[in-house]
Amino acid sequence: MHISRMQIRNFRNFKSIDVPLAKNTVLIGENRAGKSNFIHALRLVLDTSLPDRSRSLKISDFWDGIEDPFAQGGSSIEIDVDFVGFEANPATHALLADFRVADDHTVARISYRFRPDCEGEPSSEADFDYIIFGGGDETRSVPSKTRRRLVLDVLHALRDAESDLENWRKSPLRPLVEDAFSRVPDSDLVSVSSAIEGAGEALLELTEITTLEATLRGKLLAIGGPRNDIDAKFGILSTDPSRLANILKLFIDGGSRDIGDASLGSANLALLTLQLAEYEWKRAQNEQDFTIIAIEEPEAHLHPQLQRKVFSNLFQESLETPQSLIVTTHSPNIASVTPFNQIVLLRTHEDKGTVAHSLAKLALAEHERDDLQGYLTTTRAEVFFSSGIIFVEGPSEEALLPAFSATLGHDLDALGITVCSVDGVDFEPYLKLATMLGIPFSVITDWDPVAGGKALGWARAKKLLLTNRKFGGKVDATPEQVTRLDAEESFLRGSAKNHCIYLNTTTLEIELSQDPYLASALLSILSEQTSFGQTLKNRIAKYQANHSEIVPEKLMLMIGYVGKGRLSRELAKRIVGIQPPEYIKHAIENVVAKV
């Protein structure tokens, strides 16, 4: 079972979002995008620890785009949470079967509404009230038992893990220890209690201890006088067999240090682990049927490697486990180990409030998924935090794009634009990802002409623009348009540009050599190569004297000797101030204009 969908309307950042969700969810977004508000919306529906006064919202909780929540009978805040897979378990089926929606019996819905509850026009917050109901029908109230057994627990970003672990009443260790002690035979507890009591008495009879006790008692008596004497004595914790569980504590470093001495990260890892164990124990004790754990910004407490280790384990999806995670994060390290279908990106739009882009329904072939996951793991998922993306074929373009952008007056880092190398020409999964996430993008790719045949870039561009039409929600190309894409190069190039796909006429390096300023910079690097023999040196000198003498195939051969990546990194230092080729310029300007 899991939450398959959330709908939020008119609440804080959210004008209206409808988000498909996977078993686990990772919420990504910049500050003030609404990640915490998303969690709070879920709490309004499910969290039994939330008091009634917190569920009765304020007028300030309405979306800012609603100028007057009192007008025309009053506005309402609406939150719907859909569950699927509940029928597989008798316990969850019993809880949710009565709240199935009319048009799909496999979906159960629990809803929250904050709306006017008065006759006539509302005039103040007192005229609004909330209601929680199921199945899309306000007459079907949700009993508290249902929400007690579908447990939502929130670990806030500013939590104090050390205090929670030290406080026996609040510690998640308490029920686990007490359960273990409940299975210990009484005779064993009595025997241990007697041993502890004997050791305690021996401790209190030590001369040094009795001397200290007498000294302190004398000082207290002298200061307070006989009437205020508190009759203080040293003692040890209770050895009552029934209370032995209370004196058991968790230590670290092989028992040499108290948990209170742990680092912040270690304490938070211990707290998370113990709480997961506590939820599992409660389900085994039939106190819960399903647990939703919301963790806000865990990167505040865990170093990068530990983030990846912990969450790569937790995010392994098991539909049989009666537990889901919802994590909010700014961490590329956590995002990099998150399966794609668990990502939800929140982006702020000026007139729409926060918009949610979910990858829960992103359709990828296995090889596409592997390619993307490999890229995200290597780059620590930078694209998820980008305001725009420029997709390129390899390290050459990746090295040159920032320098060309600087020439055009744009700082890509300052704008939040990422240059993403796909290490080849398989742009399709990356394009799907950017489209599903609503991130503006450009694709820069070579035409790759073939002697006596169609350029390789032709079919590539056609495939990409058709994919963009499909995933971008546009109408499919007509048969006539497809025929023209196959037959007319000018129509293909124009259509590709309309879909943010930018083509040259040859390859990157040849394109650079056709510009006199770029060619000079390129040839100067080649001329400095000490490993070249006299034949190559003479050829470079000839090309420098007359750029029209450049033979593309021989130029590419020399570049191959140096290495495209190495040459491009050096070239990037020398081209600042030199205008890029037109297709690169248009690709950069397209993304910049949208961010």
Side-chain angles (χ1 to χ4, degrees), residues 36 56 69 75 86 90 100 168 239 360 405 457 460 478 495 499 516 530 580:
S36 293
S56 295
S75 302
F86 58 92
R100 290 178 286 195
W168 181 248
T239 58
S405 298
R460 184 187 314 139
T478 64
S495 299
H499 290 274
T530 57

Side-chain angles (χ1 to χ4, degrees), residues 493-569:
R493 287 181 175 275
S495 299
K497 187 174 180 180
N498 290 338
H499 290 274
C500 310
I501 301 159
Y502 298 88
L503 298 149
N504 54 29
T505 57
T506 52
T507 64
L508 170 68
E509 291 77 14
I510 301 305
E511 203 80 17
L512 297 179
S513 72
Q514 293 173 353
D515 180 282
Y517 299 105
L518 294 172
S520 295
L522 178 64
L523 292 169
S524 70
I525 296 171
L526 293 176
S527 69
E528 295 166 5
Q529 302 307 304
T530 57
S531 60
F532 284 176
Q534 194 58 47
T535 300
L536 294 183
K537 290 180 180 179
N538 292 339
R539 182 182 299 162
I540 294 168
K542 177 182 176 182
Y543 290 171
Q544 286 178 313
N546 186 354
H547 292 165
S548 64
E549 295 286 341
I550 294 176
V551 178
E553 294 79 7
K554 293 182 177 179
L555 177 67
M556 292 302 298
L557 184 64
M558 290 189 289
I559 290 173
Y561 292 150
V562 178
K564 288 185 177 183
R566 178 184 167 198
L567 181 136
S568 296
R569 287 190 295 273

